Structure formats: structure tokens, C-alpha cells
Amino acid sequence: MNARGLDLAQLRTFLAVTEAGSVSGAAERVFLSQSSVSEQLKKLEERIGQPLFVRSKQGVAPTPAGAKLVEHARRIVAMCDAAFDDMLGRSLDGELRLAITDYYRPHDVAAIIRRFASQHPRLRLHVTVLPSAVIDAGAHDDMFDIGLSLRMVDAPSSRANRAATPGSAAGARQSTVIRREKLVWVGARETLREHGSLAPPWPLVLLPSTCQLQRYVVKLLERARMPYLISHSASGVAGLQLALKAGLGISCLNESAIGDGVEACPASFGLPALPAAEFHLLPGRPGENPQVSHAREALAALLG
DNA sequence: AGGTTGTCCAACCGAGCCTG
DNA sequence: CAGGCTCGGTTGGACAACCT
């Protein structure tokens, strides 16, 4: 190791700790033991000459020095990865069109895409937010290069996809499940706590019927013979979150899309049980540019 | 010059301990 | 009890010394 400067492995571990919020969580990410991560942090702190994290039983939080180092570390690691890919002839350039559902980790997705873009500075990234049904339907068109859609685990389209065998017309290539989350009924925290219960008909905050999750919710309530009224229609998940927070009604969201001021409805409401949701990275089209295939692999590593 | 051996040291791990 | 730290043992890479 150099007598001066920063060690790349330690910086990667440092970033993993920052992102995981704990030493043990970071250990899983970087495939080391908790003690090894702790020792690497200690060495990095000794080298820098000041503590980078405040330790507690809830995990770790960056000190001002730690927060300062995060930005440097991200740039250094991204530049290193980009240089490595470039030397292997895997550097991405040109235009890449990404279609993504807005249910996917709304609070993190911008940072993930920014990190992807910084790893591939020559890439011109074009991101479009679309309903999952549109993304799935466009899988065979030339609307986008890489698609990320949401599917309910017990929904027929999902089952069909899972059952697809290589060589079959519809599912010659399998999509990749990159994340699985619970779906939950949600409403404004204040409304739920103040009233304790809501009376039917259930006021629903929904997206347009092009959203398969919202169609699913309506079908579920109708099947359970639970009266509802659509109290607010939003154009996207961000609008849905605002309407929920304002107490305009209840809706169904995946865990990572639950925003501030919104929380799960209590079981006492008796709302129907919801399935899990999966985020699918659509497979490449036949004859796809190898660069797009590589971009898909790189994105899958970041999106998980 | 190239191969083998011995030594050093950094990195890792698991166990046990500490702390709030 | 969960999460982090410390310690002792193990492993593997780097390097010098030695041998063929």
C-alpha cells in the first residue's frame, strides 16, 4: 500500500458502509466479514486522521469528514470502474434509451441513474417513465433499449412469463427479477391516526387505468365486494404520493414508494390481502447491440 | 536465467467481548 | 439484544536468498 493517498478497496468498503448505514450491512454487500469491514474502516480513519463515522447500536452515521469523503470516493470509484471498462473495451458510448416504471424506488432511482451515468461518461442516457404495461408491450418494439417494469407476483402475465420456456414464441428470453417488494394499502399518517378507521365506501387515490397495479386494486375490491369511490386521479406515482399525503384517500403502493407522511393502513380496516410485486428487467431483443447487453448487466448490478 | 524455499506482512475470518 | 470492536489464528502474495 502507498504511504500516501487513498486505498481503492477501502474506499469501496467505505461507500458500502455509507450506503448500508451499518458495518454488518456493508459486509454483506462487499462479501467480507463484519470484522474485516470494521478493520478496513479503522485503517482508512487512521490514514485520514479523523473519524469518518459515528457508531451506535442502530448502525453508523457519517461525520462531517465522512460526508465530505463520500463525494470524493464516489468520483474515484466511478472513474476507476470507467477506466477498467474502457481498457477491457466495455466502455459504453452512444445513446441508451431506458424505460422505467415510476414505482421503482422513487427515492433512490435518480441517484442510481446518476451513478450509472458517471460510470459511463460518454453515454447519452435518455430515461422515460412509462406505465409497466406499456413497457412490457413495447418489449419487442424499438421504443427503448432497456425496460424495467413492475409485475404482481400472482398476476397472470407474471405467471405466463415465469412459465415461458426458452424457444417459445412469447418468452424465448426471460426477464430478470431484480427486486421483490411487498404491496401495502397506504393512507395519510394523520388521517389514519386521527380517525383510526375509515368507513366504506373507500376513497381511492388512483393512477389512470393504464396502470396495471391500479386496475388490479379495483378488481380486488370488486371481487371482495367492498364499496369504493375514486376520490382522486393522479398522473404518476409522485402525484399519487402527494394526494395520499394530503389525505385524499387510500391506495396501494410497493414498500419503496411509500413517501413521507404516508403509512400502511391498519389490519383493522379489513382491506383485501395484496400480493408481492417484482421489478423485471426486460430481456434483450434478438440481435441486440452487445453494448446494450453490457449496459443491461451493469444496470442490473446497480438496480438490485 | 529460471525454479524453489523461507520469511514477512497485509488481509481475512471467527470467537468473544463491549456498549447503549 | 443488536451492532461494533478486538484478538489470535490462517492464508496468500511479495520478495529476497539460494540452488540447479
Side-chain angles (χ1 to χ4, degrees):
Chain A
M1 197 189 289
N2 288 338
R4 61 188 296 272
L6 295 163
D7 179 80
L8 193 59
Q10 289 174 0
L11 286 183
R12 287 186 192 277
T13 302
F14 166 75
L15 285 178
V17 173
T18 306
E19 284 159 14
S22 74
V23 174
S24 42
E28 287 178 20
R29 292 183 180 213
V30 295
F31 305 108
L32 291 174
S33 67
Q34 178 269 325
S35 58
S36 295
V37 171
S38 177
E39 285 171 0
Q40 282 199 6
L41 274 189
K42 189 178 163 190
K43 282 173 188 165
L44 186 58
E45 288 175 325
E46 281 171 2
R47 170 152 292 197
I48 288 173
Q50 47 192 321
L52 297 170
F53 291 102
V54 178
R55 278 83 163 167
S56 73
K57 73 171 182 175
Q58 283 84 26
V60 298
T63 61
K68 193 173 172 184
L69 183 61
V70 168
E71 296 307 314
H72 290 302
R74 285 200 176 123
R75 279 201 301 274
I76 293 165
V77 168
M79 282 178 69
C80 179
D81 289 344
F84 183 65
D85 283 346
D86 197 21
M87 296 311 290
L88 293 182
R90 299 193 317 201
S91 183
L92 299 170
D93 56 16
E95 189 176 359
L96 184 76
R97 299 163 303 164
L98 178 64
I100 189 164
T101 164
D102 50 355
Y103 283 103
Y104 178 78
R105 298 172 69 183
H107 312 295
D108 306 320
V109 70
I112 292 170
I113 289 170
R114 190 183 62 204
R115 196 181 317 162
F116 180 70
S118 69
Q119 285 174 3
H120 305 284
R122 297 210 301 268
L123 195 65
R124 293 191 306 282
L125 199 58
H126 184 75
V127 182
T128 311
V129 174
L130 292 170
S132 292
V134 175
I135 295 173
D136 285 339
H140 304 291
D141 304 335
D142 193 34
M143 283 172 59
F144 52 81
D145 299 307
I146 297 175
L148 176 69
S149 67
L150 174 142
R151 299 176 193 173
M152 269 73 72
V153 170
D154 72 348
S157 64
S158 178
R159 277 203 297 272
N161 185 282
R162 285 153 172 270
T165 51
S168 69
R173 290 158 180 243
Q174 296 272 334
S175 60
T176 307
V177 178
I178 56 161
R179 188 177 174 88
R180 189 174 185 159
E181 292 186 16
K182 279 186 195 163
L183 290 174
V184 283
W185 292 103
V186 289
R189 181 175 300 137
E190 278 185 22
T191 310
L192 296 177
R193 290 187 182 173
E194 276 175 22
H195 302 293
S197 67
L198 286 173
W202 302 101
L204 290 186
V205 178
L206 291 181
L207 294 188
S209 60
T210 47
C211 173
Q212 55 174 338
L213 177 56
Q214 306 300 311
R215 284 203 309 273
Y216 184 87
V217 165
V218 167
K219 223 180 268 180
L220 206 58
L221 290 173
E222 285 174 351
R223 207 183 304 153
R225 297 177 187 282
M226 300 185 84
Y228 66 89
L229 59 90
I230 297 174
S231 60
H232 184 90
S233 294
S235 58
V237 171
L240 193 73
Q241 288 167 331
L242 289 173
L244 283 169
K245 189 177 179 182
L248 298 183
I250 60 169
S251 193
C252 162
L253 278 176
N254 51 306
E255 284 176 310
S256 71
I258 300 175
D260 287 342
V262 174
E263 66 181 24
C265 296
S268 61
F269 280 22
L271 291 160
L274 293 163
E278 288 176 343
F279 290 97
H280 286 240
L281 201 54
L282 270 52
R285 303 181 186 98
E288 176 179 86
N289 182 336
Q291 290 233 37
V292 175
S293 305
H294 174 228
R296 185 177 291 101
E297 287 172 22
L299 262 176
L302 288 175
L303 290 170

